[in-house]
């Protein structure tokens, strides 16, 4: 398909998504005639902003529309650029709900469309496609804000719930890419919206996003305290049920509290919180994805290893990986979780001086979810360490990955 003109590629993917020209045009805010001319090559498609919007609606990487392989791009330095940062910032600075309080609400996007878009955004995140996600975020934020401002009555809670999820998605990917201030802003917004959605579990997950951003900004102690406060309120038992959603949210709060405690060097609290999360995971029975948490027994062990790395005990992290994480269960996790763990392992191996295995973990993570390795500042630090401590020339695969990452050999 690489040899096809771009308009033909658009037509191909539109057909794959079972969208008529009229429906596709409506979602783009264009006329059916405009779509027809683009697909026939009569009208040029040369604006990247329009290309990104088309890719978002068709649920494909924009590179596919350009006839390129999205997995082989040397685009580490373009995982998120300053133009995209400013577009996301502008979207986060909108106050549609307040404007609607004084004026007539805008025509809201249909909630069915929003549900599909939010679901796709979560999957894009959990498959580690951060560049694709950051390009789609500005429009998704605007649409979710318009839906929240424009729907009332029985639909208002669902609209708020969807907006809260979009803020959480934005916070998670922005934190990974090093935009910590914006990650905190998005997470803080998600907590406020979760209260309007009247969903304590959504508020619990929003708490973990806020606390992750706080830890990234060098504020682990208030992050630990907030995680524990909300975990205690949501804990199963008493008046609280023990359904899978509650167990997952409660367990994730404990795990994120453990990570904050690890940043403080408090190993005793780390052990207590991870063991508490382990008990919740055993009640759950298996790794699941309620509230997009990926919580379960295997994910608990991934956090046990990650906390060991934060505590500076790389040997313990490697031991946890080898002795406590069953490979078949690990392989059932989503790519972001697995690649994140391999990055933690790379850090652990580097801490014990095993730069060969550290490099191998980076390569394995890159094969799973390239953006998790190529786009994250912490991965660049590990690669720099591997290159600096490798005797002689680095292996060719490591050198190639370093080049893709923009890390000098």
């Amino acid at each position: 398909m690489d040899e096809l003109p771009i308009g033909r590629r658009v037509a191909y993917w539109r057909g794959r998504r079972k969208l008529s020209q009229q429906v596709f045009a409506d979602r783009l805010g264009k006329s059916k005639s405009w779509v027809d001319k683009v697909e026939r090559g009569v009208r040029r498609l040369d604006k990247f902003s329009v290309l990104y919007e088309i890719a978002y609606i068709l649920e494909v990487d924009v590179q596919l529309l350009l006839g390129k392989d999205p997995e082989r791009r040397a685009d580490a330095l373009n995982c998120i650029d300053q133009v995209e940062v400013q577009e996301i910032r502008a979207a986060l600075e909108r106050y549609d709900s307040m404007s609607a309080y004084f004026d007539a609400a805008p025509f809201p996007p249909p909630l069915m469309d929003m549900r599909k878009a939010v679901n796709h955004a979560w999957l894009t995140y959990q498959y580690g496609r951060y560049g694709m996600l950051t390009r789609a975020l500005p429009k998704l934020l605007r649409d979710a804000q318009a839906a929240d401002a424009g729907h009332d009555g029985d639909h208002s809670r669902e609209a708020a719930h969807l907006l809260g999820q979009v803020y959480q998605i934005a916070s998670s990917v922005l934190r990974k890419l090093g935009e910590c201030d914006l990650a905190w802003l998005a997470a803080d917004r998600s907590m406020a919206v979760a209260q309007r959605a009247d969903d304590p579990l959504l508020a619990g997950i929003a708490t973990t996003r806020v606390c992750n951003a706080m830890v990234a900004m060098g504020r682990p102690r208030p992050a630990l305290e907030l995680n524990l406060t909300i975990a205690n309120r949501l804990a199963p038992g008493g008046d609280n049920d023990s359904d899978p959603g509650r167990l997952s949210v409660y367990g994730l709060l404990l795990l994120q509290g453990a990570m904050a405690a690890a940043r403080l060097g408090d190993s005793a609290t780390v052990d207590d919180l991870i063991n508490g999360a382990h008990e919740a995971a055993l009640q759950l029975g298996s790794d699941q994805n309620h509230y997009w948490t990926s919580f379960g027994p295997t994910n608990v062990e991934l956090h046990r290893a990650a906390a060991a790395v934060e505590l500076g005990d790389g040997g313990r992290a490697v031991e946890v990986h080898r002795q406590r994480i069953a490979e078949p269960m690990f392989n059932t996790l989503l790519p972001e979780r697995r690649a994140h763990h391999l990055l933690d392992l790379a850090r652990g191996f580097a801490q014990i001086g095993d730069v060969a295995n550290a490099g191998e973990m980076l390569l394995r993570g890159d094969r799973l979810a390239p953006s998790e390795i190529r786009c994250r500042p912490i991965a660049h630090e590990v690669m720099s360490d591997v290159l600096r401590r490798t005797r002689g020339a680095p292996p060719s695969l490591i050198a190639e990955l370093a080049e893709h990452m923009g890390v000098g050999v």
Side-chain angles (χ1 to χ4, degrees):
M1 209 174 107
D2 291 352
E3 68 278 3
L4 291 179
I6 189 168
R8 293 283 300 280
R9 293 191 200 102
V10 171
Y12 170 81
W13 285 106
R14 179 181 59 76
R16 287 283 299 272
R17 299 297 180 248
K18 294 180 170 58
L19 298 175
S20 68
Q21 282 190 340
Q22 186 62 64
V23 170
F24 183 48
D26 290 344
R27 293 187 182 182
L28 271 174
K30 303 286 187 181
S31 67
K32 180 182 176 182
S33 173
W34 185 92
V35 171
D36 182 65
K37 288 177 181 177
V38 166
E39 293 185 348
R40 289 190 293 112
V42 175
R43 186 183 185 98
R44 294 182 62 187
L45 193 57
D46 52 9
K47 288 187 177 180
F48 268 84
S49 59
V50 176
L51 270 173
Y52 287 138
E53 193 162 353
I54 288 173
Y56 170 68
I57 291 170
L58 296 179
E59 301 181 6
V60 299
D61 193 298
V62 71
Q63 297 299 311
L64 288 176
L65 297 180
L66 295 172
K68 300 177 182 178
D69 182 354
E71 298 299 329
R72 297 304 301 167
R73 287 181 293 144
D75 66 345
L77 301 181
N78 294 317
C79 295
I80 184 169
D81 61 30
Q82 287 308 302
V83 173
E84 291 163 357
V85 169
Q86 291 308 315
E87 289 181 351
I88 293 171
R89 185 187 303 279
L92 287 171
E93 290 172 347
R94 289 167 63 96
Y95 289 86
D96 285 10
S97 59
M98 183 58 69
S99 299
Y101 178 76
F102 292 102
D103 302 306
F107 182 77
L111 289 180
M112 182 177 68
D113 290 350
M114 286 307 308
R115 284 194 294 271
K116 291 179 180 178
V118 172
N119 185 71
H120 179 248
W122 272 121
L123 291 174
T124 303
Y125 173 76
Q126 292 193 321
Y127 276 81
R129 296 172 179 173
Y130 305 146
M132 182 179 181
L133 180 56
T134 56
R135 291 188 286 271
L137 264 178
K139 183 179 185 301
L140 183 59
L141 282 162
R142 292 192 296 269
D143 286 349
Q145 289 162 341
D148 178 57
H151 285 285
D152 54 18
D154 294 338
H155 299 301
S156 61
R157 286 185 180 178
E158 183 180 3
H161 204 288
L162 290 168
L163 177 58
Q165 292 183 61
V166 173
Y167 281 139
Q168 291 189 34
I169 295 166
S171 178
S172 297
V173 71
L174 288 166
R175 178 182 57 83
K176 279 183 178 284
L177 299 178
E179 298 292 336
C180 298
D181 290 344
L182 281 183
W184 182 87
L185 174 60
D188 186 67
R189 288 283 185 86
S190 75
M191 291 189 75
V193 173
Q195 295 176 54
R196 288 197 286 105
D198 194 26
D199 185 343
L201 299 185
L202 182 67
I205 292 299
T207 299
T208 68
R209 314 298 180 194
V210 168
C211 293
N212 284 344
M214 293 170 74
V215 170
M217 295 168 69
R219 302 284 294 164
R221 188 165 299 282
L224 171 60
E225 293 170 357
L226 180 56
N227 270 313
L228 295 186
T229 296
I230 304 305
N232 288 334
R233 292 178 181 175
L234 293 178
D239 294 333
N240 291 335
D241 57 38
S242 297
D243 66 34
R246 183 177 297 275
L247 286 168
S248 298
V249 174
Y250 169 69
L252 190 63
L253 281 159
L254 295 183
L255 290 178
Q256 297 309 321
M259 296 307 298
R263 187 65 65 91
L264 290 166
D266 185 350
S267 58
T269 299
V270 168
D271 290 341
D272 287 344
L273 294 178
I274 289 182
N275 289 337
H278 180 67
E279 292 177 9
L282 291 179
Q283 286 184 260
L284 190 63
S286 62
D287 293 277
Q288 300 175 30
N289 203 19
H290 299 286
Y291 281 82
W292 305 95
T293 57
S294 295
F295 182 75
T298 309
N299 202 4
V300 169
E301 298 307 323
L302 265 57
H303 280 80
R304 197 187 301 274
V309 172
E310 288 295 331
L311 289 166
D313 192 351
R316 172 63 176 157
V318 172
E319 179 184 327
V320 167
H321 174 77
R322 289 173 172 169
Q323 298 182 9
R324 299 182 67 101
I325 299 176
E327 186 170 353
M329 300 308 297
F330 178 71
N331 289 337
T332 66
L333 297 178
L334 288 159
E336 179 273 335
R337 282 284 78 218
R338 286 184 283 158
H340 188 139
H341 174 65
L342 292 170
L343 175 54
D344 286 332
L345 272 184
R347 296 172 63 198
F349 276 117
Q351 286 176 354
I352 61 176
D354 188 345
V355 293
N357 267 318
E360 177 60 27
M361 294 304 105
L362 291 176
L363 290 171
R364 286 181 56 188
D366 184 66
R367 287 192 288 269
L368 272 173
S371 293
E372 181 70 17
I373 304 301
R374 303 184 187 194
C375 296
R376 296 196 60 188
I378 186 66
H380 288 211
E381 293 177 17
V382 178
M383 177 58 84
S384 294
D385 191 30
V386 168
L387 295 177
R388 184 174 61 254
R389 296 164 65 184
T390 297
R391 294 183 179 179
S396 59
L397 291 177
I398 292 294
E400 181 183 356
L401 177 56
E403 182 179 357
H404 282 305
M405 295 171 70
V407 178
V409 178

